[in-house]
Amino acid sequence: MNQIPHLAFIGAGNMSSAMIGGLCKQSPAPFVLGLSSRTKEKCLPFTELGVTVFADNPAALAWADMIVLGIKPQQYEDVLTQFKNVGFDGRKDIVALQMK
């Protein structure tokens, strides 16, 4: 039997929140969900939905099979540098949502 993939969202803004909310309603669950955000208060409601909340982005990267960047373009460099600094080898899928 296949293991359910781990999908981590970086950023807990409107678009990520909507996607996480929709995924949490699906049965059977298509993913085990995780979340990391610089605004920790935005993560709290998702713990009640069973979403794993991480202390930082590198922890989410280490846990996840796939990453969704739900951040503004001006934040990409900082987040991707964090990934590079923890040895990201390019073997995980990363999806960037179009944010303004």
Side-chain angles (χ1 to χ4, degrees):
M1 185 167 174
N2 293 336
Q3 180 182 0
I4 299 174
H6 291 186
L7 176 62
F9 285 81
I10 306 299
N14 292 336
M15 193 172 297
S16 292
S17 296
M19 291 178 73
I20 292 169
L23 289 168
C24 285
K25 292 177 184 176
Q26 294 195 14
S27 181
F31 302 102
V32 178
L33 298 174
L35 176 63
S36 175
S37 176
R38 63 183 179 171
T39 309
K40 299 303 177 201
E41 300 80 38
K42 287 186 175 183
C43 296
L44 295 177
F46 296 103
T47 59
E48 296 173 7
L49 298 173
V51 175
T52 301
V53 175
F54 295 96
D56 56 33
N57 296 334
L61 174 68
W63 173 87
D65 299 311
M66 296 175 283
I67 301 284
V68 174
L69 296 179
I71 56 177
K72 292 181 170 62
Q74 59 267 29
Q75 297 171 301
Y76 286 172
E77 183 176 357
D78 179 49
V79 170
L80 294 175
T81 298
Q82 291 174 28
F83 289 176
K84 178 182 171 192
N85 290 342
V86 296
F88 175 68
D89 60 8
R91 294 185 189 179
K92 297 180 184 191
D93 294 324
I94 296 180
V95 176
L97 302 176
Q98 180 63 40
M99 311 297 282
K100 291 185 178 183

